[in-house]
Amino acid sequence: GAVVSQHPSWVICKSGTSVKIECRSLDFQATTMFWYRQFPKQSLMLMATSNEGSKATYEQGVEKDKFLINHASLTLSTLTVTSAHPEDSSFYICSAIPLAETYIVQYFGPGTRLTVT
Amino acid sequence: AQSVTQLGSHVSVSEGALVLLRCNYSSSVPPYLFWYVQYPNQGLQLLLKYTSAATLVKGINGFEAEFKKSETSFHLTKPSAHMSDAAEYFCAVSGGSQGNLIFGKGTKLSVKP
Protein backbone atom coordinates (compact mmCIF):
# COMPACT_ATOMS: atom_id res chain seq x y z
CA GLY A 1 0.00 0.00 0.00
CA ALA A 2 0.81 3.73 -0.03
CA VAL A 3 2.06 3.90 -3.59
CA VAL A 4 2.77 7.19 -5.31
CA SER A 5 3.35 7.42 -9.03
CA GLN A 6 4.79 10.17 -11.19
CA HIS A 7 4.41 10.76 -14.88
CA PRO A 8 6.46 11.12 -16.92
CA SER A 9 9.52 9.50 -15.42
CA TRP A 10 11.79 11.30 -17.85
CA VAL A 11 11.16 14.27 -20.12
CA ILE A 12 13.28 16.36 -22.46
CA CYS A 13 11.96 19.71 -23.60
CA LYS A 14 13.21 22.72 -25.44
CA SER A 15 13.99 25.97 -23.73
CA GLY A 16 10.94 28.21 -23.51
CA THR A 17 8.36 25.45 -23.49
CA SER A 18 6.27 24.25 -20.54
CA VAL A 19 6.25 20.82 -18.99
CA LYS A 20 3.63 19.24 -16.75
CA ILE A 21 4.50 16.56 -14.21
CA GLU A 22 1.78 14.52 -12.55
CA CYS A 23 1.88 13.04 -9.07
CA ARG A 24 -0.75 10.47 -8.14
CA SER A 25 -1.47 8.59 -4.95
CA LEU A 26 -2.64 5.23 -6.27
CA ASP A 27 -4.15 3.54 -3.25
CA PHE A 28 -4.86 6.30 -0.78
CA GLN A 29 -6.19 9.81 -0.58
CA ALA A 30 -3.93 12.69 0.25
CA THR A 31 -4.94 16.19 1.20
CA THR A 32 -1.31 17.23 1.29
CA MET A 33 1.36 16.60 -1.31
CA PHE A 34 4.85 17.99 -1.51
CA TRP A 35 7.10 18.83 -4.42
CA TYR A 36 10.86 18.54 -4.10
CA ARG A 37 13.77 19.27 -6.35
CA GLN A 38 17.01 17.34 -6.21
CA PHE A 39 20.24 18.31 -7.91
CA PRO A 40 22.87 15.66 -8.66
CA LYS A 41 24.51 14.26 -5.55
CA GLN A 42 22.52 16.61 -3.32
CA SER A 43 19.67 16.35 -0.90
CA LEU A 44 16.04 17.12 -1.58
CA MET A 45 14.95 20.73 -1.51
CA LEU A 46 11.31 21.37 -0.70
CA MET A 47 9.74 23.57 -3.36
CA ALA A 48 6.14 23.76 -2.26
CA THR A 49 3.37 22.19 -0.24
CA SER A 50 0.25 21.40 -2.18
CA ASN A 51 -3.13 21.20 -0.46
CA GLU A 52 -6.20 19.84 -2.19
CA GLY A 53 -8.60 22.58 -3.11
CA SER A 54 -6.40 25.48 -2.10
CA LYS A 55 -3.35 27.38 -3.28
CA ALA A 56 0.05 25.83 -2.84
CA THR A 57 2.49 27.20 -0.30
CA TYR A 58 5.85 27.91 -1.86
CA GLU A 59 9.20 27.91 -0.10
CA GLN A 60 11.27 31.03 -0.06
CA GLY A 61 13.10 31.54 -3.32
CA VAL A 62 10.78 29.37 -5.42
CA GLU A 63 9.00 31.31 -8.15
CA LYS A 64 5.29 30.51 -7.94
CA ASP A 65 4.66 31.85 -11.44
CA LYS A 66 7.29 29.57 -12.87
CA PHE A 67 6.39 26.43 -10.97
CA LEU A 68 2.63 26.16 -11.12
CA ILE A 69 1.09 23.64 -8.76
CA ASN A 70 -2.46 22.37 -8.94
CA HIS A 71 -3.98 19.89 -6.49
CA ALA A 72 -7.40 19.36 -7.98
CA SER A 73 -8.30 16.08 -6.29
CA LEU A 74 -7.34 13.96 -3.31
CA THR A 75 -5.19 11.75 -5.52
CA LEU A 76 -3.60 14.10 -8.02
CA SER A 77 -1.24 17.04 -7.89
CA THR A 78 0.50 18.53 -10.90
CA LEU A 79 3.61 20.64 -11.26
CA THR A 80 3.98 22.70 -14.40
CA VAL A 81 7.35 24.19 -15.18
CA THR A 82 6.58 27.19 -17.35
CA SER A 83 8.98 28.69 -19.86
CA ALA A 84 11.59 26.14 -18.93
CA HIS A 85 15.28 26.98 -19.11
CA PRO A 86 18.35 24.75 -18.88
CA GLU A 87 18.84 25.71 -15.23
CA ASP A 88 15.46 24.11 -14.50
CA SER A 89 16.92 20.73 -15.44
CA SER A 90 16.70 18.61 -12.33
CA PHE A 91 15.11 15.62 -10.67
CA TYR A 92 11.65 16.47 -9.38
CA ILE A 93 10.12 14.27 -6.70
CA CYS A 94 6.68 14.43 -5.17
CA SER A 95 5.41 12.93 -1.96
CA ALA A 96 2.04 12.51 -0.31
CA ILE A 97 0.71 12.07 3.19
CA PRO A 98 -2.19 9.63 3.47
CA LEU A 99 -5.35 11.14 4.84
CA ALA A 100 -5.34 8.69 7.71
CA GLU A 101 -1.74 9.45 8.65
CA THR A 102 -1.72 13.22 8.70
CA TYR A 103 1.62 14.72 9.73
CA ILE A 104 3.28 11.36 10.14
CA VAL A 105 4.69 9.73 7.02
CA GLN A 106 5.36 10.95 3.53
CA TYR A 107 5.37 8.46 0.69
CA PHE A 108 7.47 9.40 -2.29
CA GLY A 109 7.01 9.03 -6.00
CA PRO A 110 9.79 7.63 -8.20
CA GLY A 111 10.76 11.05 -9.48
CA THR A 112 10.78 12.80 -12.84
CA ARG A 113 14.00 13.76 -14.53
CA LEU A 114 13.61 16.95 -16.52
CA THR A 115 16.20 17.94 -19.08
CA VAL A 116 15.82 21.31 -20.80
CA THR A 117 17.85 21.78 -23.96
CA ALA B 1 13.44 25.34 13.84
CA GLN B 2 14.32 21.78 13.05
CA SER B 3 17.50 20.65 11.35
CA VAL B 4 19.32 17.44 10.57
CA THR B 5 23.03 16.72 10.32
CA GLN B 6 24.33 13.56 8.74
CA LEU B 7 27.95 12.91 9.58
CA GLY B 8 29.89 11.51 6.66
CA SER B 9 28.77 12.06 3.12
CA HIS B 10 30.23 8.71 2.10
CA VAL B 11 30.56 5.51 4.10
CA SER B 12 32.19 2.39 2.75
CA VAL B 13 31.91 -1.03 4.38
CA SER B 14 32.71 -4.57 3.42
CA GLU B 15 29.95 -7.05 2.73
CA GLY B 16 28.93 -8.65 6.00
CA ALA B 17 30.26 -5.79 8.12
CA LEU B 18 28.28 -3.54 10.43
CA VAL B 19 26.62 -0.53 8.86
CA LEU B 20 26.43 2.65 10.94
CA LEU B 21 25.06 5.85 9.44
CA ARG B 22 24.98 8.82 11.76
CA CYS B 23 22.23 11.37 12.14
CA ASN B 24 21.87 14.16 14.66
CA TYR B 25 18.87 16.40 14.85
CA SER B 26 17.85 19.68 16.31
CA SER B 27 14.27 20.27 17.29
CA SER B 28 12.48 22.52 19.70
CA VAL B 29 9.62 20.06 20.00
CA PRO B 30 9.52 16.28 20.28
CA PRO B 31 10.51 15.21 16.79
CA TYR B 32 9.28 12.68 14.33
CA LEU B 33 12.37 11.19 12.68
CA PHE B 34 12.75 9.18 9.52
CA TRP B 35 15.31 7.32 7.48
CA TYR B 36 14.78 7.03 3.76
CA VAL B 37 16.83 5.17 1.14
CA GLN B 38 17.26 6.28 -2.45
CA TYR B 39 18.57 4.08 -5.21
CA PRO B 40 19.97 5.75 -8.35
CA ASN B 41 17.36 7.59 -10.40
CA GLN B 42 14.57 6.57 -8.06
CA GLY B 43 12.42 8.21 -5.44
CA LEU B 44 12.77 7.71 -1.73
CA GLN B 45 11.69 4.61 0.12
CA LEU B 46 10.86 4.74 3.80
CA LEU B 47 13.17 2.54 5.87
CA LEU B 48 11.81 3.34 9.30
CA LYS B 49 10.30 6.06 11.42
CA TYR B 50 10.30 7.23 15.02
CA THR B 51 7.07 8.80 16.25
CA SER B 52 7.60 8.93 20.02
CA ALA B 53 6.78 5.31 20.74
CA ALA B 54 9.61 2.80 21.23
CA THR B 55 13.08 4.34 21.07
CA LEU B 56 14.51 1.39 19.16
CA VAL B 57 12.83 1.29 15.80
CA LYS B 58 13.07 -1.63 13.43
CA GLY B 59 12.64 -1.06 9.73
CA ILE B 60 12.76 -2.92 6.48
CA ASN B 61 15.73 -4.83 5.06
CA GLY B 62 17.20 -5.48 8.51
CA PHE B 63 17.82 -1.84 9.39
CA GLU B 64 17.11 -0.33 12.76
CA ALA B 65 17.66 3.01 14.46
CA GLU B 66 17.73 4.14 18.05
CA PHE B 67 16.37 7.46 19.21
CA LYS B 68 18.59 8.97 21.90
CA LYS B 69 17.18 12.18 23.22
CA SER B 70 20.18 12.94 25.41
CA GLU B 71 22.45 12.77 22.37
CA THR B 72 19.87 14.18 19.92
CA SER B 73 20.79 11.30 17.67
CA PHE B 74 18.97 8.81 15.47
CA HIS B 75 21.71 6.64 14.00
CA LEU B 76 20.87 3.93 11.49
CA THR B 77 22.44 0.50 11.83
CA LYS B 78 22.43 -2.90 10.19
CA PRO B 79 24.42 -5.81 11.60
CA SER B 80 25.58 -7.22 8.28
CA ALA B 81 25.84 -5.25 5.06
CA HIS B 82 24.66 -6.69 1.79
CA MET B 83 25.67 -5.57 -1.67
CA SER B 84 22.09 -4.50 -2.32
CA ASP B 85 22.33 -1.98 0.53
CA ALA B 86 24.52 0.28 -1.59
CA ALA B 87 22.47 3.46 -1.99
CA GLU B 88 22.00 6.99 -0.69
CA TYR B 89 20.48 7.29 2.76
CA PHE B 90 18.66 10.35 4.05
CA CYS B 91 17.73 11.19 7.61
CA ALA B 92 14.81 13.57 8.02
CA VAL B 93 12.90 15.32 10.75
CA SER B 94 9.31 16.36 10.49
CA GLY B 95 8.95 20.11 10.77
CA GLY B 96 6.16 22.56 10.27
CA SER B 97 2.48 22.15 10.87
CA GLN B 98 1.80 20.40 7.59
CA GLY B 99 4.27 17.59 8.10
CA ASN B 100 6.92 18.77 5.69
CA LEU B 101 10.27 17.05 6.06
CA ILE B 102 13.66 18.57 6.61
CA PHE B 103 16.33 16.37 5.13
CA GLY B 104 19.95 15.87 5.93
CA LYS B 105 22.44 16.06 3.09
CA GLY B 106 22.52 12.32 2.68
CA THR B 107 25.11 9.60 3.13
CA LYS B 108 26.17 7.42 0.26
CA LEU B 109 26.77 3.86 1.38
CA SER B 110 29.15 1.72 -0.65
CA VAL B 111 29.48 -2.00 0.00
CA LYS B 112 32.67 -3.76 -1.03
CA PRO B 113 32.65 -7.46 -1.87
Side-chain angles (χ1 to χ4, degrees):
Chain A
V3 178
V4 177
S5 70
Q6 281 184 241
H7 178 79
S9 58
W10 184 36
V11 57
I12 301 174
C13 71
K14 292 186 177 181
S15 186
T17 62
S18 296
V19 174
K20 180 184 285 188
I21 302 171
E22 292 186 348
C23 176
R24 292 181 185 273
S25 55
L26 297 184
D27 52 0
F28 65 93
Q29 293 183 321
T31 54
T32 303
M33 291 183 171
F34 301 90
W35 286 96
Y36 295 85
R37 185 172 180 176
Q38 185 179 32
F39 291 103
K41 302 185 187 302
Q42 294 190 28
S43 189
L44 281 73
M45 181 191 77
L46 179 65
M47 298 175 66
T49 302
S50 168
N51 290 296
E52 186 267 338
S54 63
K55 291 183 178 180
T57 303
Y58 290 82
E59 296 299 302
Q60 191 172 8
V62 177
E63 300 175 59
K64 60 181 67 178
D65 293 331
K66 181 170 187 60
F67 298 99
L68 300 179
I69 291 173
N70 183 277
H71 194 156
S73 77
L74 289 173
T75 59
L76 174 65
S77 176
T78 60
L79 168 68
T80 300
V81 183
T82 63
S83 187
H85 288 94
E87 56 266 31
D88 298 324
S89 298
S90 190
F91 195 52
Y92 293 88
I93 305 176
C94 73
S95 70
I97 296 179
L99 206 54
E101 295 188 43
T102 307
Y103 308 147
I104 300 296
V105 181
Q106 290 186 30
Y107 295 93
F108 286 79
T112 296
R113 183 160 303 283
L114 170 63
T115 301
V116 185
T117 61
Chain B
Q2 284 92 346
S3 67
V4 172
T5 301
Q6 290 184 242
L7 297 176
S9 59
H10 191 187
V11 171
S12 182
V13 300
S14 297
E15 191 173 19
L18 171 71
V19 175
L20 171 61
L21 304 182
R22 301 178 186 274
C23 172
N24 288 90
Y25 70 91
S26 172
S27 177
S28 56
V29 298
Y32 293 146
L33 293 160
F34 306 83
W35 275 100
Y36 285 88
V37 60
Q38 184 181 33
Y39 297 98
N41 297 310
Q42 295 187 28
L44 275 66
Q45 181 182 8
L46 179 67
L47 277 177
L48 48 80
K49 64 182 185 288
Y50 167 76
T51 56
S52 74
T55 56
L56 181 62
V57 181
K58 294 188 183 297
I60 62 172
N61 301 338
F63 285 94
E64 63 181 38
E66 185 172 8
F67 173 72
K68 292 187 177 180
K69 184 178 179 180
S70 60
E71 299 177 7
T72 60
S73 69
F74 190 56
H75 301 332
L76 181 71
T77 61
K78 181 174 180 178
S80 177
H82 192 272
M83 297 297 290
S84 60
D85 295 326
E88 189 88 23
Y89 291 80
F90 292 96
C91 181
V93 62
S94 181
S97 60
Q98 295 198 77
N100 54 295
L101 291 174
I102 297 163
F103 285 90
K105 292 187 176 181
T107 297
K108 182 177 181 179
L109 174 66
S110 298
V111 181
K112 299 175 292 185

